[in-house]
């Protein structure tokens, strides 16, 4: 754009000059000059031409004189620039070689660049030397060069970066943390320093310091506004979790701030609800959970909502679950929440209906385990229970908190694997993905319901009706003989029995009739008040006679 402007300006100047000469030529006249008694007269056009030529000659003479006067310096500057260009060419070649891993060429180009350019004037020579030392495995020399660069204000950030990487390589995490924090405090716009410092402060639980550093990054425009707000909400939620037991009011304020920054952050809503419950403000707790439930139904939200008040009965919890379903109808989590509450309230019909509807909607491990619990509580049919347990073994797992391949039972602000902030997501683990359902085919839940065996009914054998109504048996005791009478009581005809001889009883091994059975038995203890004869209190077997 500048070149075009210069060309247009040049053509404009030529046109203006030509127009001026044409205008003077169209208006002829004479001009004269009288000097020391002599008069000089000429045409106007000749005088103007001579004036312009004189100015041009003066300017050209001045340029030639100035060039000759400054020629020694110009010559020196020319050769210096040429030498510098050769040095920068060697430096560029060396950096490319270092990036490619060619340590020999990088070292040779570094020596050439150092001979052509002063190291004090160009700090990139130290960078090239440090890279060549790292490639060749001379880490002590590399750390020395990085230390020198960290002391120079121009290369301080680069030197701290190199020292940080070397400290991590050696496992000196405390030294790496100090280098990262130094760089982050001096330059919060450095992504690596801010990220590393955030991770260290989060692992140590220094949430206020982490939030302050995040605000500095936001001001420096290192992070986008929505990303910074999300990370700040995560840090506030982690801070609220630590404050929940000792300072419920502070935990509530931190959680509510987090919800303002990220309305769909489920852990923040749960912490805020728990803080409200500790303040005996059940209405606010329920309202907070209802708002997050409308955005994203979650089993932890349902559990916190249904069991917010410890004194509620199972029927009261079922009513709360019904309210959640009304807020988010035809939803998998809503159906499961009602089914679990109905099972606790012993409303098996409703629990089964909701659980089966959830199974038709999504085939998951949790819904099949719930159906097995319902089957065990309602019918106790082992065949149907085994059917649901088998379906649970084959079904994909329910969503869980997953971060970098790690599955956790609860949400955490940072990943335990990489230390990344806001790494946990509520999703199905990678190795348990569900197969997509083709159009026109039955879902896994519908197939499982169709394959459910009927309830097994055990038929009891028919009992013959007794001819005489059963009555409480009577026991008649005589010396050495006990008679149990199982026949109905006949007050008009009392039962009488005579004790047979001991020898006859011992010889009789089987009852001779269907009405009398003689069995050996042991006598009562000596302290039994029903025993009158001490002989009956012995441990020797006696005879028991049953009448049928």
């Amino acid at each position: 754009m500048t070149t075009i402007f210069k060309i247009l300006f040049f053509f404009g100047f030529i046109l203006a000059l030509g127009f001026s000469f044409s205008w003077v030529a169209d208006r002829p006249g004479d001009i004269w000059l009288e000097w020391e008694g002599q008069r000089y007269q000429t045409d106007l056009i000749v005088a103007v031409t001579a004036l312009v030529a004189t100015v041009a000659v003066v300017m050209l003479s001045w340029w030639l004189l100035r060039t000759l006067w400054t020629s020694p310096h110009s010559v020196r500057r020319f050769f210096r620039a040429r030498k510098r260009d050769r040095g920068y060419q060697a430096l560029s070649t060396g950096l490319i070689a270092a990036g490619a891993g060619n340590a020999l060429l990088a070292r040779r180009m570094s020596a050439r660049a150092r001979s052509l350019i002063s190291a004090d004037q160009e700090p990139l020579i130290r960078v090239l030397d440090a890279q060549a030392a790292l490639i060749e495995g001379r880490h002590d020399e590399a750390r020395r060069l990085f230390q020198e660069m960290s002391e120079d204000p121009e290369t301080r950030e680069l030197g701290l970066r190199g020292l940080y990487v070397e400290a991590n390589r050696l496992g000196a995490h405390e030294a790496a943390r100090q280098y990262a924090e130094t760089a982050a405090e001096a330059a919060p716009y450095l992504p690596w320093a801010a990220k590393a410092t955030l991770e260290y402060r989060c692992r140590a639980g220094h949430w206020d310091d982490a939030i302050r550093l995040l605000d500095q990054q936001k001001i420096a425009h290192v992070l986008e506004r929505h990303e910074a707000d999300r990370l700040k909400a995560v840090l506030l939620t982690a801070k609220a979790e630590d404050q929940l037991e000792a300072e419920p009011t502070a935990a509530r304020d931190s959680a509510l701030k987090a919800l303002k920054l990220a309305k769909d952050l489920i852990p923040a809503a749960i912490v805020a609800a728990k803080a409200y419950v500790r303040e005996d403000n059940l209405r606010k707790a329920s309202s907070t959970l209802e708002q997050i439930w409308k955005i994203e139904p979650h089993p932890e939200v349902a559990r916190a909502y249904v069991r917010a008040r410890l004194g509620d009965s199972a029927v009261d919890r079922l009513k709360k679950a019904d309210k959640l379903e009304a807020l988010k109808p035809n939803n998998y989590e809503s159906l499961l929440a009602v089914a679990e509450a109905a099972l606790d309230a012993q409303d098996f019909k409703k629990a089964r209906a909701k659980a089966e509807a959830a199974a038709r909607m999504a085939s998951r491990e949790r819904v099949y385990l719930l159906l097995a619990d319902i089957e065990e509580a309602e019918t106790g049919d082992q065949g149907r229970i085994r059917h649901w347990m088998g379906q649970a073994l084959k079904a994909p797992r329910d969503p869980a908190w997953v971060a970098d391949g790690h599955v956790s039972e609860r949400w955490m602000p940072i990943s335990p694997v990489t230390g990344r902030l806001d790494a946990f997501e509520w999703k199905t683990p990678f190795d348990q993905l569900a197969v997509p359902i083709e159009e026109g085919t039955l879902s896994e839940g519908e197939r499982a319901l169709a394959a459910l065996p009927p309830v097994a009914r055990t038929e009891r054998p028919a009992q013959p009706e007794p001819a005489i109504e059963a009555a409480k048996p009577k026991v008649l005791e005589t010396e050495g003989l006990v008679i149990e009478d199982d026949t109905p009581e006949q007050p008009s005809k009392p039962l009488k029995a005579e004790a047979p001889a001991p020898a006859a009883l011992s010889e009789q091994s089987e009852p001779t009739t269907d009405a009398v059975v003689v069995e050996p038995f042991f006598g009562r203890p000596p302290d039994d008040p029903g025993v009158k004869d001490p002989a009956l209190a012995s441990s020797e077997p006696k005879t028991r006679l049953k009448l049928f």
Side-chain angles (χ1 to χ4, degrees):
M1 190 70 181
T2 305
T3 305
I4 296 175
F5 178 77
K6 289 181 179 179
I7 294 174
L8 292 177
F9 177 77
F10 175 75
F11 279 107
F13 177 76
I14 296 298
L15 288 175
L17 188 62
F19 177 76
S20 300
F21 275 96
S22 175
W23 183 82
V24 172
D26 291 340
R27 292 165 178 80
D30 296 331
I31 186 171
W32 54 270
L33 173 66
E34 186 174 352
W35 185 46
E36 294 183 353
Q38 298 290 330
R39 175 177 287 190
Y40 301 93
Q41 184 177 0
T42 184
D43 295 336
L44 179 61
I45 187 65
V46 175
V48 172
T49 303
L51 179 61
V52 172
T54 302
V55 172
V57 169
V58 170
M59 292 180 62
L60 181 61
S61 301
W62 174 254
W63 177 78
L64 289 174
L65 182 61
R66 184 173 177 272
T67 302
L68 292 174
W69 181 263
T70 60
S71 58
H73 176 71
S74 299
V75 171
R76 287 196 305 269
R77 186 173 58 183
F78 169 76
F79 285 106
R80 189 185 302 118
R82 184 181 177 186
K83 182 179 179 181
R84 184 185 58 191
D85 292 341
R86 291 171 57 195
Y88 276 110
Q89 182 63 38
L91 185 59
S92 176
T93 305
L95 289 174
I96 295 174
N102 191 345
L104 181 61
L105 180 59
R107 177 66 64 184
R108 188 166 66 248
M109 291 296 105
S110 174
R112 180 181 297 180
R114 189 178 293 275
S115 64
L116 297 173
I117 307 174
S118 176
D120 297 334
Q121 296 177 356
E122 185 49 64
L124 282 177
I125 296 179
R126 284 185 186 150
V127 178
L128 180 57
D129 290 339
Q131 293 297 322
L134 288 176
I135 296 172
E136 294 175 348
R138 294 180 285 107
H139 296 282
D140 294 337
E141 182 181 352
R143 285 194 298 273
R144 180 183 60 78
L145 292 171
F146 285 132
Q147 185 65 37
E148 292 178 359
M149 285 188 282
S150 66
E151 296 172 356
D152 186 356
E154 189 175 2
T155 59
R156 185 179 185 184
E157 298 171 3
L158 181 58
L160 290 174
R161 167 69 173 172
L163 292 173
Y164 169 77
V165 173
E166 282 297 299
N168 276 332
R169 185 187 63 82
L170 296 174
H173 299 295
E174 180 62 25
R177 181 188 66 80
Q178 293 179 3
Y179 291 135
E181 288 191 351
T182 302
E185 291 294 337
Y189 50 82
L190 293 176
W192 68 268
K195 180 182 177 182
T197 306
L198 271 178
E199 292 177 0
Y200 286 125
R201 292 180 180 180
C202 290
R203 288 177 180 175
H206 300 159
W207 308 116
D208 292 330
D209 295 337
I211 292 172
R212 180 172 56 83
L213 178 60
L214 191 63
D215 290 337
Q216 292 177 355
Q217 284 187 286
K218 183 178 179 181
I219 295 173
H221 301 287
V222 178
L223 298 174
E224 296 292 337
R225 180 176 180 180
H226 67 279
E227 183 181 0
D229 289 344
R230 174 72 184 188
L231 295 179
K232 187 174 182 179
V234 171
L235 294 175
L236 287 171
T237 303
K239 179 182 177 181
E241 286 185 343
D242 289 349
Q243 294 174 331
L244 184 59
E245 296 297 333
E247 302 175 278
T249 302
R252 178 203 63 196
D253 295 338
S254 299
L256 292 178
K257 290 179 182 178
L259 283 176
K260 289 181 180 179
L261 296 173
K263 295 182 179 180
D264 59 342
L265 189 56
I266 294 173
I270 294 176
V271 173
K274 290 180 179 179
Y276 276 127
V277 170
R278 281 167 171 75
E279 295 176 347
D280 295 331
N281 195 342
L282 189 62
R283 183 180 61 83
K284 285 285 188 179
S286 301
S287 176
T288 303
L289 293 175
E290 288 172 2
Q291 291 176 5
I292 196 67
W293 182 264
K294 293 177 183 178
I295 299 174
E296 183 65 30
H298 195 277
E300 293 182 6
V301 176
R303 192 177 302 112
Y305 184 83
V306 172
R307 301 183 179 274
R309 187 164 52 194
L310 297 178
D312 286 348
S313 63
V315 177
D316 294 333
R317 293 196 295 269
L318 178 57
K319 292 179 180 179
K320 290 185 176 181
D322 290 333
K323 188 174 181 180
L324 284 181
E325 186 185 15
L327 293 175
K328 202 73 174 180
N330 198 26
N331 181 268
Y332 177 79
E333 295 296 340
S334 299
L335 293 172
L336 282 185
V338 177
E340 291 174 351
L343 176 60
D344 293 339
Q346 302 296 310
D347 190 350
F348 301 120
K349 182 178 179 181
K350 187 172 186 178
R352 184 182 296 275
K354 298 297 182 182
E356 290 179 352
R360 291 187 182 94
M361 188 174 298
S363 177
R364 298 290 182 186
E365 179 184 12
R366 179 183 169 201
V367 67
Y368 292 132
L369 292 176
L370 179 59
L371 283 168
D373 292 339
I374 295 173
E375 206 67 58
E376 182 178 9
E378 183 179 11
T379 64
D381 192 321
Q382 295 299 319
R384 294 166 71 95
I385 295 173
R386 285 194 296 271
H387 170 77
W388 291 126
M389 295 297 291
Q391 294 296 329
L393 289 175
K394 295 184 295 182
R397 291 174 57 185
D398 282 86
W401 292 113
V402 181
D404 300 320
H406 175 77
V407 181
S408 175
E409 296 181 355
R410 64 182 187 89
W411 176 86
M412 290 185 288
I414 60 174
S415 170
V417 180
T418 61
R420 182 164 55 95
L421 185 63
D422 191 26
F424 276 93
E425 300 179 76
W426 183 256
K427 62 180 181 180
T428 304
F430 303 120
D431 57 340
Q432 296 288 339
L433 297 178
V435 179
I437 300 174
E438 298 181 1
E439 186 176 357
T441 61
L442 295 177
S443 65
E444 293 295 332
E446 291 174 341
R447 292 178 183 176
L449 290 171
L452 180 65
V455 179
R457 300 185 180 277
T458 305
E459 298 292 340
R460 296 182 180 180
Q463 299 291 338
E465 296 182 0
I468 304 175
E469 184 180 1
K472 185 177 180 180
K474 294 182 179 180
V475 179
L476 302 179
E477 298 182 3
T478 58
E479 183 177 356
L481 178 65
V482 177
I483 302 175
E484 292 184 3
D485 185 6
D486 294 336
T487 59
E489 185 178 359
Q490 301 291 338
S492 59
K493 295 181 180 181
L495 178 65
K496 295 182 180 181
E498 295 181 1
L505 291 175
S506 61
E507 294 175 358
Q508 187 176 0
S509 60
E510 295 181 359
T512 56
T513 64
D514 295 336
V516 180
V517 177
V518 180
E519 297 178 348
F521 78 103
F522 290 91
R524 295 172 178 162
D527 56 348
D528 192 342
V531 179
K532 297 180 181 181
D533 192 349
L536 295 177
S538 65
S539 60
E540 297 179 0
K542 303 297 186 295
T543 306
R544 181 185 297 273
L545 179 63
K546 290 186 178 181
L547 299 180
F548 294 88

